[in-house]
Amino acid sequence: MNKEKLIADMKQIVADADALLQATADQTSEKIAGLRTRLQDNLKTARSRLAEAETTLVDKTAQATRDALQKISDAADQAADAASDAAQKAEESVKNAAESGKEAAQRAAEVARDAANKALDAITEMARKAKDAISKSF
């Protein structure tokens, strides 16, 4: 935010200098004419540099946001994969226990699978909300 404040301050300085140039337009002394010429040149340079700085700031902010979004997406994918693996292992355990005639183990495995699926849903929803929030900031 400090860079944005600096850009806003610089825009105000440029506007004030431009107003000063307009206010002294009817002054004809040699000193004032030379000062006006230098000030006009400096204002032109300042406007150009200010535009470059603003573009750079926007580009860097956008890239940082894209990087953060990618990291969130990658983490959500890894968590989803881990949850899916856990659910699959729980289901395999249930099948093995069910084959042994243990209904309680089957129920426990179903509960574990349901919990893993709920975790997967929560992670997916979190990633979607993060993506939406970042997308809305642009």
Side-chain angles (χ1 to χ4, degrees):
M1 292 303 162
N2 291 336
K3 290 179 184 179
E4 291 172 359
K5 175 78 170 108
L6 177 61
I7 288 171
D9 290 346
M10 290 301 297
K11 284 182 177 182
Q12 185 61 50
I13 289 169
V14 168
D16 291 346
D18 198 31
L20 180 61
L21 276 174
Q22 298 301 323
T24 61
D26 60 343
Q27 301 294 321
T28 58
S29 81
E30 193 173 308
K31 245 183 176 178
I32 291 179
L35 180 58
R36 284 179 49 79
T37 300
R38 283 195 322 268
L39 187 53
Q40 285 173 332
D41 291 343
N42 289 337
L43 280 174
K44 183 178 178 181
T45 300
R47 282 186 184 114
S48 175
R49 288 183 182 165
L50 187 57
E52 289 174 16
E54 198 168 19
T55 299
T56 299
L57 178 63
V58 168
D59 290 346
K60 285 183 178 181
T61 301
Q63 185 59 49
T65 302
R66 283 190 294 270
D67 291 346
L69 182 56
Q70 185 61 49
K71 287 179 182 178
I72 290 169
S73 178
D74 291 347
D77 288 345
Q78 289 174 353
D81 289 344
S84 179
D85 288 345
Q88 185 177 4
K89 288 178 182 176
E91 190 171 355
E92 288 172 8
S93 294
V94 168
K95 286 180 183 179
N96 290 339
E99 290 172 2
S100 301
K102 298 181 180 178
E103 290 182 26
Q106 183 178 8
R107 178 67 185 135
E110 288 172 3
V111 169
R113 184 182 66 232
D114 290 344
N117 285 332
K118 286 179 183 179
L120 176 60
D121 291 343
I123 290 166
T124 302
E125 180 67 12
M126 180 260 328
R128 185 194 61 76
K129 286 181 180 180
K131 181 179 177 183
D132 288 348
I134 290 172
S135 296
K136 289 178 183 178
S137 70
F138 290 102

